[in-house]
Amino acid sequence: FLLNLNVPRYVYTYTISVLKKVSFDPNLFQKELEKASKKLLPFEYRELMIWVKDYIKNKPVLQTLVL
C-alpha cells in the first residue's frame, strides 16, 4: 500500500466546507471536528487544526471551543 500525496484531498476540503457551514453553532462545529479526527489522515488533521485556530479568531461564538 502506497500513499499518493498528489491525489486531491476531497475529504479534507469537504470537511472545511462543512465546518464553514456549521460555524454558527459551536456544538455542531465540535461534532464535525470529532468526525474529522476519525476520517482524516494524521497530517491532514494537524493541518485542519491550524486552519480551525485561524478561522475561529474572527468567530466569537466559536472561541469557547476546547481544541
Side-chain angles (χ1 to χ4, degrees):
F1 174 75
L2 293 175
L3 179 62
N4 184 351
L5 298 178
N6 294 325
V7 174
R9 299 183 297 162
Y10 296 115
V11 176
Y12 177 80
T13 55
Y14 174 75
T15 300
I16 288 179
S17 70
V18 170
L19 287 171
K20 287 179 179 179
K21 289 177 185 174
V22 301
S23 64
F24 66 93
D25 183 334
N27 293 324
L28 287 175
F29 196 89
Q30 188 72 45
K31 284 180 185 178
E32 291 301 325
L33 275 179
E34 289 170 14
K35 287 182 194 177
S37 72
K38 296 173 183 148
K39 291 186 214 174
L40 296 174
L41 296 170
F43 78 92
E44 290 176 314
Y45 185 71
R46 285 191 301 271
E47 191 175 320
L48 179 69
M49 293 311 294
I50 292 167
W51 177 87
V52 165
K53 288 175 184 176
D54 187 56
Y55 184 72
I56 67 172
K57 284 179 185 173
N58 299 321
K59 306 273 188 246
V61 70
L62 296 175
Q63 290 177 358
T64 60
L65 293 175
V66 177
L67 302 178

